Amino acid sequence: MAGRKGIWVRSPDRPVKPEAAEKRRIDAACEDFIDTFLKPRFLPEIRPTQWNYVVDIAGRWSGGRYRFVQRYRSGMQHNKGEEFDAPFARLDRMGPDRFDLHWYRHTGQWWKRHEGLTLSEALRALKEDGLLNPP
């Protein structure tokens, strides 16, 4: 096919970045979910230990994906005070108010648990599907 330009087509399996207004709406809903459900249930207080311990639960965007992460701090002598994020669930925005919900396995792989959900359905699934909760 010499001389012919390629045609790019969006894969239906790839997340799509939201427009600014929708992104703000998703952020607000997810931050409210973190503050009213995740933190009270999974981080009611910070308990320092001699190992890694959770100090925060937050959300982060990466393209069309919104990841729920736990922020850990090290209590070990060789790296005391260092912090890192560990994801546990992810919303992939597949279109306007359509999300796939993924679970982060201990193997470092993401596994799709639910697909084609609205934002409110996805947040409800995060509450009810124990596999998607923080470890």
Side-chain angles (χ1 to χ4, degrees), residues 16-132:
V16 182
K17 283 184 179 183
E19 297 294 328
E22 185 182 5
K23 186 175 182 177
R24 284 191 299 273
R25 186 178 64 79
I26 295 167
D27 275 336
C30 290
E31 288 173 17
D32 182 61
F33 177 75
I34 290 167
D35 291 339
T36 61
F37 177 74
L38 291 176
K39 284 184 179 180
R41 183 159 183 200
F42 298 101
L43 188 60
E45 65 180 284
I46 297 172
R47 296 185 197 121
T49 70
Q50 65 180 358
W51 310 106
N52 295 327
Y53 56 94
V54 180
V55 294
D56 196 17
I57 298 175
R60 308 267 188 277
W61 278 101
S62 178
R65 295 180 167 120
Y66 187 92
R67 293 181 180 162
F68 292 89
V69 298
Q70 286 183 301
R71 181 91 174 151
Y72 284 86
R73 182 175 297 144
S74 175
M76 295 180 265
Q77 288 303 326
H78 70 282
N79 63 351
K80 193 171 190 119
E82 289 185 21
E83 295 184 357
F84 61 94
D85 290 336
F88 58 91
R90 183 181 84 200
L91 288 173
D92 285 7
R93 182 188 174 272
M94 305 310 287
D97 205 26
R98 285 288 159 230
F99 297 88
D100 291 349
L101 192 50
H102 295 256
W103 162 56
Y104 191 73
R105 288 184 43 123
H106 67 283
T107 60
Q109 294 178 314
W110 288 99
W111 288 81
K112 188 185 299 184
R113 291 283 294 166
H114 305 275
E115 64 181 304
L117 304 176
T118 65
L119 182 58
S120 61
E121 291 169 340
L123 295 176
R124 186 172 35 255
L126 278 165
K127 269 186 188 179
E128 296 171 358
D129 185 341
L131 196 56
L132 297 167

